[in-house]
């Protein structure tokens, strides 16, 4: 499973709309509205880089009210939880 | 459940040590080494603000090789998953 | 009581209008026009994170002349004053 | 009454010490540990600019573990509360 | 006397117009077009904070071609000159 | 008369020392401790560029507790005051 | 052979279009969509500076959906591969 | 002779037009299109500050496709060349 | 094949040493010294994310004279060249 | 002839020393101490990229008091002057 954090700025009044739209996109596991410099943090959990590429450069760019994104690829995960099975996505 | 993202910069050679130490801290559910401007992203999932305060201003500051942190509090979550029960932490 | 600082940039000529509108919003205890990089600092004092989330991601985003906000959640407070009773908001 | 917000970065492990020290300084009404780019936000409420100058350029600079400060002077306040009497400081 | 430095960015072709308009505003003692990141530096010399507040949040915001301002309040002045009498403004 | 603004950051506890030292330097007409990102603003009023060059690249660099400076040359001044005669420096 | 890296930001929905257009431009050897602050990284491999100048200041600027570019000229290359012959471009 | 470097950002497709227009302006000795964060670097070599002021705050601002400038005044020059005579401009 | 760009800052005098060391690391296909804000750009071409993770969070961090890195993962590549076979690394 | 601008920050008290040292380096045609964010601007005028590479990554890095450099390669020059012959360097 490949995990990525996508930091997102949206148009002022569209934070909730974008969050709801994103949460329905395949590959997006959670979307949070957050304090600080960004409006949303989306966590993508996908099978491989190709799916991540489609997600970031095709699906997300089509969501209009997004004004800026910054994607951080997760290299390794360290956790008490067994995240793969928790978020088992038919690998 | 209160979720927070803690973006972390560490000393150059201590990325893995800090990640492993953090993953064992109560309240930290996952730690990822990431691409981009930061070295690690830790996800805190705690009962209330008080526990978050203790985590950020006491526990994490004591981890020596951390050079900078930026905490983003999650206001709302949008997800297909039932995160509360997945990460049920005896609320 | 949960306290947050919301740093706000507004449209050039709307500083006073936004300040007055904000001061009437439930959960906003004080609004200051300030020197420096931001135009206003609003202090939110609310019951719980849910009320803070509603304030930041619903109420404040609807105030049109706001161009940028940055929310800083207060973890702990240190003061000679008994702020809870001073700002008692029926906890 | 003159109000100022002092955004403060401290040495990693000294956040709580600095907050406690600051809260005892004359003219400082509240100190908060916060999320985001800064570690603390101190609110100064003083009689006049001279007291503010003494506070910022003499008292606060002597607190060793502070590494950076940015002071924002409040021009006007908009609030449901009667802050002057709440924070009456023998004007 | 309270002194403040107001760093100003203007619309590309309006540097001189804004400077001349500003120089006529009560409370503005000098306006300089400057090299570097800003277009103008205005020096405000006023009686008290209230006059400074009116100047920054009412008078200056009404000057259309200004796109960004950053106000730096002067705490103390150190000078061979007797600035108060030089800029005596009927204190 | 050539005017320049020199924005200065100093070591934390040396703001007042640097201000006093600077105010005695030939060519420096006023030094202010200020709010915002810088600690001091010095105004240089000199005869010609050569004197400004000596001031910035020789005299000021020798003041030890200065950590960063940014010099803004004034191109034109707009003012009700006759600054040349007020700051007449034997041109 | 002269190599340059061109970091590119595009309009939100035009990442793929710009990448495909760029890849066909003479002198552009590879275009990658990337994570982080930029949308694309283009690698130019050309005969001499003149060809690089034409590429950057004429050809690339004509591609409409590009909003920002930052060009980094490669001084020296260190590689196990014989890049010149691999990318032999009829020097 | 007074030398200044003017770092310039232009509209995407107007780099060459602005460079050619600038090169004809009195006081501008050379204009270069450059790699990095700016599009052009113009070198002004003029008689005195007054001519520099006219150049920067009147002539250059009238060139429409310029979106941002940052002027760096040269204090001293160190060179094997006798630049004054090379760029002798009838001092 | 997974490609990544690693932007690198090194200690002032160690640019060439770091470049030569990096070029010998498995997974690093090319290292360039470059103009602009960074000193080096390394191109990693590896089999999968796991190898990329090992490269970034273990191998590269052990190269002492590196002071800062920023990794940009390539999602998709657009090129006239058949890069996979050119850089065939026994996939 | 290839021209490059090298923006340089030096240790506080070493501006003049570095300028004088640089001016003697082969390939460096002029060095200016400047106002603004940088301390010096050096203009390199060399035969080809290889000489530029040696200058930037070997000669300049060995000058100790330099703390940061940013190199901007000039693509094209627009000037009334015949710079090649003025700075003829035995091409």
């Amino acid at each position: 499973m490949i995990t990525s954090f996508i930091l997102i700025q949206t148009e002022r009044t569209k934070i909730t709309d974008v969050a709801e739209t994103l949460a329905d996109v395949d590959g997006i596991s959670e979307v949070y509205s957050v304090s600080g410099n960004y409006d949303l943090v989306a966590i993508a959990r996908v099978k491989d880089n190709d799916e991540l590429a489609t997600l970031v450069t095709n699906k997300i760019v089509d969501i209009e009210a997004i004004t800026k994104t910054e994607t951080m690829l997760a290299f390794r995960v360290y956790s008490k939880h067994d995240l793969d099975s928790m978020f088992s996505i038919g690998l």
Side-chain angles (χ1 to χ4, degrees), chain A residues 15-87:
Chain A
I15 296 176
T16 308
D17 297 349
V18 171
E20 286 164 354
T21 311
L22 260 176
D24 283 342
V25 171
D26 266 351
I28 296 289
S29 123
E30 307 135 78
V31 183
Y32 299 86
S33 58
V34 290
S35 70
N37 278 316
Y38 284 91
D39 297 310
L40 299 174
V41 172
I43 303 182
R45 303 184 199 264
V46 291
K47 227 175 23 291
D48 53 37
N49 277 6
D50 200 51
E51 209 186 314
L52 181 61
T54 306
L55 187 62
V56 174
T57 61
N58 301 102
K59 294 185 185 174
I60 291 184
V61 294
D62 287 342
I63 302 178
E64 284 194 13
I66 290 179
T67 56
K68 180 184 174 189
T69 65
E70 185 175 341
T71 308
M72 307 200 290
L73 172 78
F75 294 124
R76 296 232 191 284
V77 59
Y78 307 80
S79 177
K80 308 170 192 88
H81 300 284
D82 173 359
L83 298 163
D84 274 8
S85 50
M86 281 167 70
F87 291 101

